[in-house]
Amino acid sequence: MIAVNTVYRPGFLSIEVNDGHLYGTPIDILRLSAPLILVALGMTLVIATGGIDLSVGSLCAISGAIACLHISTATDRNSPSTVLTALALAFGAALVLGAWNGLLVAVIGIQPIIATLILMVAGRGLAQLITEGQIITINSAPYRAIGLGHFLTLPLAIFIALAAALLVAAFTRRTALGLIVESVGGNAEASRLAGIRSGRVVFLVYVLSAACAAVAGFMITANVSSADGNAAGLWIELDAILAVVIGGTSLAGGRFSLGGTVLGALIIQTLTTTVYAMNISPQTSLLFKAVVVIAVCLIQSPAFRAKFRRRRSDRTPGPAAPQRKKEQVPA
Amino acid sequence: MTGSHPVLTMTGITKTFPGVRALHNVDFRLFPGEVHALMGENGAGKSTLIKVLTGVYDTDEGIITLAGEQVFLTGPMQAAAAGVSTVYQEVNLCTNLSVAENIFIGREPRRLGLIRWGEMRRRARDLLARLGLDIDVTAQLGTYSLAVQQMVAIARAIDVRARVLILDEPTSSLDAGEVAQLFRIMRQLRDERVAILFVTHFLDQVYGIADRITVLRNGSLVGEYRTAELPQLTLVEKMIGKELDVLERLDEQQKRNIAAPSDSTPLVEAAELGRKGGVTPFSLRIHAGEVVGLAGLLGSGRTEVARLLFGADRADHGQVRVDGGKASLRTPIQAIDRGIGFSPENRRAEGIVPELSVRENMILAMQAARGWLRPIPRRRQDELVEKYVKALRIRPANPDLPVRHLSGGNQQKVLLARWLITEPRLLILDEPTRGIDIGAKAEIQKLVVELSDGGMAVLFISAELEEVLRLSHRVAVMRDRTMVAQLDNDTTLDADRVMQTIASGTHREEVNRSTPSPSASAR
């Protein structure tokens, strides 16, 4: 994809220094993919337990709406304390909603897709209620910085996503949470009989997913300095699920790969950006996404690879190489 | 029967998995109208050979011919179409579909593209009647016992008008009466010139029905023999590849000394523990260092007793005392905290987590007990895993291999290791030796003895009475979901007496339906 881009637009890979900040398409892609990375990280854990969280898009909208509402009603919109309070409020609300998802799935035992569908639908309504059906526009420099600010010449959003990825990685791999999540997703009954309290783990991952979605919601609304209960984070749950699957985590649960998910999110964002940059209408971009997803899934399918190898054993699958190159960028 | 040409030949079959060489240059042939036993220890390559034969796996090298023509089998459906039909070790059916649907799935009788349900049910009933089974074919398969499910799987296999019928451990979940029934069917099919490939771990059954025997060891062919010309001892030697020492060890264990523990406080005491629809209230005391056997027919409530003691199911009657103090065992983790471990009967569904590695499967229970915030340091994990891989002789000895790549017996050993790592005081073993070979079986039996000598209490559940009698200090007998007796394993106790107890319990019903005798299966 990077190759295609470079051919079509010679300036694609170039990075300029402007005003002490780095600019360029690769940087844009990283910045724009930050919310998706966040949502997809939470989604990875949920999917690894064998569940799914459809409500993350609505959660983005809700958290964004609460934060913006608080800032817009405050007297001093630019004071850091106002912004921090707003963030804390919205974050807390997201945790409560995540706990609601966890309750439905882990305690009451509703199937995850249905349980989170409730909040997916109801959450949009809730976000609209918060914004009273309006688009709340705010003018707050600190809040804006979450989406557009810079730090060490790079957009702040990149650092937030990176920090979240490292945090989730540490949270799962430095503790036994990752193993336990994989065990529950791999065989829930065997895990229970091995003494794992799977209910708690499942509950926890939904809360974690909501937390990730909340931060993504801040970024999305900060990017445009406004909260639109209807549009913020729309369909991001589907992109996130895609990112997770492209990243190599099975929808059936079990083994998960956070690195793969980050990569998957970057691929999706690169694709979106490419489609826009090449002046293809946004409507067709969905079709392009579908094609790429099919390609990636085929590359990952062992059966397909086996056939591919048998047919032309001399050729190695090409697309893997450029993807790997990109992985080095955020690291 | 050998005068004719073989219906199936496999020549130079080689199959390698990442980290495992499952088959190496194996030859195999099968004649019409014979029952041919495929023998070998766990991991010898029996299941792999069968999967190659049924098109589940590709071969790396080798040629398969059916009726003289070379075939390339790419999948089970294609193999079935070529006349190779299989009943797998673990029942591979859809428990949420009806019995009739399971038998005809994928090849339903149709007219104009629509399924003819009446016809399907009728044919299903006929087929099962041939197997001597009279059940409601419209009922969900899951409502029947594992044994009935196994018979349904066999019915499905023989309906495909198979030239080659493969039975991969079909008897491991059947009781003696059902085994006899199965053998009757097998003889009937043999007389119809079907070639039957039979895999089992029960030597008695091999000598009861097989005409010829092929032995595999470590993925290589040892040889092909006529059953009549191969004494049992020689067969075992060929399977394990060493002379007799395992058998000697088995002999040493004959009959435990009845070191029946005193009347000190029992480690675990169940008082009128029961659960509606599970098991009627029972009382049982287990002392430290004691092995209590649990005998009874399939479905007699053995597993239910174990699950209540472990908190896998919740009791609605009675209570449990641990060390004399009342204990609430409502979830597995509570039982684990009290020092109880439980290796379940159904390894694949309730035991292993297939895609996790050997190491991860082993440390799972210990990690669960510690909670996820306190991970076991990697070095400690490696120490523990190395220790038990060595002690239990787990093969391949690669801790990072996903456990699903291991054979059944080695998976069982991984499960044992999972519990031994937690250093339990009471270990509940539900059918720990089912479907595993004689070498591993002897190892596990020996391990039970060692553990109990070391002070661990063991509740040992097995369908094989000899095994129960060999290991237990005391035998509790289950019948119709009730504990009908507890017998001290003194010199007067033998299999016959236990069987009489099972047969003549205190309950109504036709008692003698299948008074099992472990050797009855042989004839």
Side-chain angles (χ1 to χ4, degrees):
Chain A
M1 235 173 333
I2 288 179
V4 172
N5 268 304
T6 320
V7 170
Y8 272 77
R9 295 185 307 130
F12 178 78
L13 278 181
S14 69
I15 297 173
E16 298 163 16
V17 181
N18 196 345
D19 210 4
H21 303 321
L22 293 176
Y23 285 99
T25 318
I27 307 292
D28 277 346
I29 290 175
L30 286 179
R31 180 176 64 83
L32 292 172
S33 62
L36 182 57
I37 289 175
L38 275 166
V39 173
L41 284 173
M43 186 71 79
T44 308
L45 295 185
V46 172
I47 286 179
T49 62
I52 201 153
D53 189 351
L54 295 181
S55 68
V56 284
S58 298
L59 280 164
C60 287
I62 294 174
S63 65
I66 293 178
C68 290
L69 183 71
H70 182 83
I71 293 171
S72 70
T73 52
T75 44
D76 182 5
R77 292 177 187 173
N78 281 326
S79 95
S81 69
T82 309
V83 174
L84 283 180
T85 322
L87 294 183
L89 271 178
F91 197 72
L95 291 185
V96 170
L97 291 171
W100 161 258
N101 278 337
L103 184 80
L104 291 184
V105 176
V107 182
I108 303 181
I110 301 177
Q111 288 192 344
I113 194 164
I114 299 299
T116 55
L117 190 64
I118 295 171
L119 190 57
M120 176 187 181
V121 176
R124 287 277 161 210
L126 209 58
Q128 302 255 32
L129 277 179
I130 294 167
T131 62
E132 291 173 335
Q134 308 292 314
I135 295 175
I136 303 179
T137 312
I138 54 168
N139 187 6
S140 160
Y143 191 70
R144 211 171 160 238
I146 298 172
L148 297 172
H150 281 79
F151 177 70
L152 290 179
T153 77
L154 285 171
L156 190 59
I158 297 178
F159 289 100
I160 296 177
L162 185 66
L166 292 178
L167 204 67
V168 174
F171 199 51
T172 51
R173 297 302 184 195
R174 285 301 168 92
T175 69
L177 185 66
L179 171 66
I180 286 177
V181 163
E182 287 176 340
S183 171
V184 168
N187 188 341
E189 179 61 12
S191 304
R192 187 179 82 91
L193 290 181
I196 291 171
R197 297 178 184 88
S198 47
R200 293 185 187 187
V201 177
V202 171
F203 184 87
L204 188 65
V205 296
Y206 282 93
V207 174
L208 213 66
S209 169
C212 289
V215 180
F218 301 150
M219 287 183 183
I220 292 169
T221 47
N223 246 339
V224 289
S225 285
S226 67
D228 179 352
N230 230 347
L234 194 61
W235 304 133
I236 198 170
E237 59 275 345
L238 300 186
D239 274 349
I241 294 168
L242 265 183
V244 172
V245 173
I246 290 176
T249 302
S250 158
L251 277 178
R255 286 275 187 223
F256 66 87
S257 157
L258 293 172
T261 294
V262 171
L263 194 60
L266 288 174
I267 290 175
I268 290 175
Q269 189 56 50
T270 310
L271 193 65
T272 312
T273 310
T274 309
V275 170
Y276 285 144
M278 286 166 73
N279 283 329
I280 300 171
S281 73
Q283 287 88 338
T284 1
S285 84
L286 293 176
L287 198 65
F288 268 83
K289 261 188 206 174
V291 172
V292 170
V293 169
I294 291 171
V296 171
C297 290
L298 282 180
I299 291 168
Q300 283 179 359
S301 146
F304 180 81
R305 267 194 306 214
K307 260 188 197 137
F308 193 76
R309 217 170 288 144
R310 207 176 304 160
R311 292 250 169 83
R312 28 187 94 193
S313 46
D314 49 355
R315 220 204 263 179
T316 48
Q323 289 165 12
R324 201 155 299 139
K325 208 167 95 196
K326 265 182 296 177
E327 193 181 22
Q328 293 159 355
V329 179
Chain B
M1 87 202 70
T2 32
S4 55
H5 293 291
V7 59
L8 167 83
T9 64
M10 300 173 84
T11 319
I13 303 292
T14 297
K15 174 77 191 165
T16 313
F17 295 111
V20 196
R21 194 182 63 182
L23 288 176
H24 182 65
N25 198 18
V26 171
D27 298 337
F28 181 74
R29 56 192 189 137
L30 195 58
F31 290 91
E34 73 164 346
V35 175
H36 192 139
L38 183 59
M39 304 292 292
E41 290 191 285
N42 294 313
K46 302 183 301 278
S47 292
T48 312
L49 189 72
I50 287 171
K51 283 182 177 158
V52 164
L53 183 51
T54 52
V56 175
Y57 293 154
D58 265 350
T59 51
D60 299 337
E61 279 167 46
I63 295 168
I64 303 175
T65 69
L66 263 176
E69 283 175 34
Q70 185 170 358
V71 286
F72 299 93
L73 300 170
T74 53
M77 277 310 225
Q78 202 220 348
V84 179
S85 208
T86 315
V87 176
Y88 286 104
Q89 180 173 2
E90 277 125 7
V91 181
N92 283 36
L93 296 171
C94 312
T95 48
N96 56 340
L97 296 182
S98 79
V99 172
E101 284 167 327
N102 265 296
I103 295 179
F104 289 102
I105 193 166
R107 49 195 181 85
E108 301 85 351
R110 291 161 194 265
R111 185 191 296 140
L112 301 174
L114 301 176
I115 295 174
R116 301 166 63 192
W117 292 101
E119 161 90 4
M120 188 161 118
R121 282 194 288 271
R122 192 183 54 70
R123 277 173 53 189
R125 264 192 297 273
D126 289 352
L127 261 175
L128 291 172
R130 240 173 104 188
L131 297 176
L133 206 58
D134 180 24
I135 56 171
D136 178 6
V137 297
T138 59
Q140 269 197 17
L141 184 69
T143 59
Y144 291 106
S145 70
L146 215 57
V148 170
Q149 295 183 21
Q150 186 70 267
M151 295 302 235
V152 170
I154 291 166
R156 173 180 162 77
I158 59 177
D159 182 58
V160 234
R161 268 175 285 285
R163 283 186 292 180
V164 175
L165 175 63
I166 301 169
L167 300 173
D168 187 0
E169 302 239 14
T171 56
S172 55
S173 55
L174 303 188
D175 69 29
E178 289 159 335
V179 169
Q181 217 170 36
L182 173 65
F183 279 12
R184 194 172 47 71
I185 301 292
M186 284 169 68
R187 292 200 184 92
Q188 188 183 327
L189 291 168
R190 173 168 67 184
D191 295 341
E192 294 166 14
R193 312 250 339 126
V194 174
I196 301 176
L197 169 57
F198 180 51
V199 179
T200 183
H201 284 301
F202 297 98
L203 296 180
D204 285 351
Q205 295 181 357
V206 171
Y207 282 89
I209 193 152
D211 302 304
R212 280 185 311 138
I213 299 173
T214 289
V215 181
L216 298 181
R217 189 173 66 231
N218 290 334
S220 300
L221 178 70
V222 176
E224 185 197 273
Y225 313 91
R226 291 180 154 280
T227 311
E229 293 160 8
L230 184 69
Q232 257 192 50
L233 270 180
T234 325
L235 170 60
V236 173
E237 283 174 11
K238 292 195 184 305
M239 282 165 59
I240 60 182
K242 43 192 155 176
E243 295 194 357
L244 280 171
D245 55 345
V246 173
L247 289 184
E248 277 165 14
R249 257 190 285 156
L250 267 179
D251 279 338
E252 279 168 28
Q253 293 168 21
Q254 283 294 342
K255 209 80 182 175
R256 294 294 307 278
N257 287 334
I258 306 100
S262 54
D263 2 54
S264 57
T265 323
L267 175 66
V268 173
E269 178 178 14
E272 288 299 304
L273 195 66
R275 175 185 166 89
K276 274 205 188 64
V279 61
T280 44
F282 66 92
S283 296
L284 181 68
R285 293 164 166 223
I286 305 173
H287 295 83
E290 191 181 27
V291 180
V292 177
L294 209 48
L297 299 179
L298 205 84
S300 59
R302 300 177 314 212
T303 298
E304 286 76 4
V305 165
R307 289 178 64 93
L308 282 184
L309 283 174
F310 185 64
D313 294 329
R314 273 184 199 182
D316 54 15
H317 195 281
Q319 57 173 350
V320 182
R321 288 201 191 84
V322 178
D323 295 327
K326 202 178 164 216
S328 155
L329 303 180
R330 296 165 64 80
T331 61
I333 190 71
Q334 286 175 328
I336 293 170
D337 286 345
R338 294 288 189 158
I340 302 177
F342 171 52
S343 161
E345 174 183 24
N346 193 339
R347 270 198 296 273
R348 201 172 57 164
E350 300 175 345
I352 57 162
V353 184
E355 52 180 325
L356 294 190
S357 68
V358 170
R359 175 176 57 81
E360 288 165 321
N361 267 286
M362 276 191 186
I363 61 156
L364 205 54
M366 186 189 195
Q367 186 62 67
R370 288 166 67 108
W372 61 269
L373 280 171
R374 294 200 304 136
I376 305 167
R378 182 57 191 257
R379 194 185 302 163
R380 176 112 181 84
Q381 290 185 21
D382 289 338
E383 278 168 19
L384 286 169
V385 170
E386 196 193 322
K387 176 176 158 198
Y388 283 100
V389 164
K390 205 176 279 172
L392 300 179
R393 298 208 297 128
I394 291 170
R395 279 170 300 174
N398 174 2
D400 292 315
L401 206 64
V403 80
R404 69 187 141 90
H405 287 319
L406 270 61
S407 67
N410 282 304
Q411 290 179 356
Q412 182 66 52
K413 290 181 186 172
V414 170
L415 277 183
L416 282 174
R418 175 190 291 174
W419 292 112
L420 294 181
I421 284 174
T422 66
E423 298 179 352
R425 294 191 297 161
L426 168 63
L427 184 57
I428 305 172
L429 302 174
D430 194 355
E431 295 279 7
T433 61
R434 175 201 283 179
I436 71 176
D437 67 71
I438 185 156
K441 199 171 196 164
E443 282 170 14
I444 287 174
Q445 291 177 356
K446 184 160 163 273
L447 183 73
V448 169
V449 173
E450 285 169 7
L451 292 172
S452 102
D453 288 347
M456 193 185 294
V458 178
L459 182 63
F460 189 88
I461 305 177
S462 172
E464 281 180 70
L465 282 182
E466 285 90 345
E467 191 179 52
V468 173
L469 285 170
R470 190 178 301 137
L471 298 176
S472 311
H473 297 110
R474 204 143 48 83
V475 179
V477 180
M478 299 296 297
R479 178 192 151 78
D480 296 337
R481 302 188 171 254
T482 307
M483 196 176 282
V484 291
Q486 289 181 32
L487 311 166
D488 279 331
N489 193 4
D490 52 26
T491 42
T492 63
L493 190 66
D494 54 21
D496 284 342
R497 230 184 96 204
V498 176
M499 270 179 305
Q500 278 165 16
T501 315
I502 292 174
S504 66
T506 50
H507 273 241
R508 23 189 173 137
E509 288 191 5
E510 28 11 332
V511 168
N512 285 318
R513 188 182 81 83
S514 58
T515 318
S517 120
S519 52
S521 52
R523 280 291 85 81

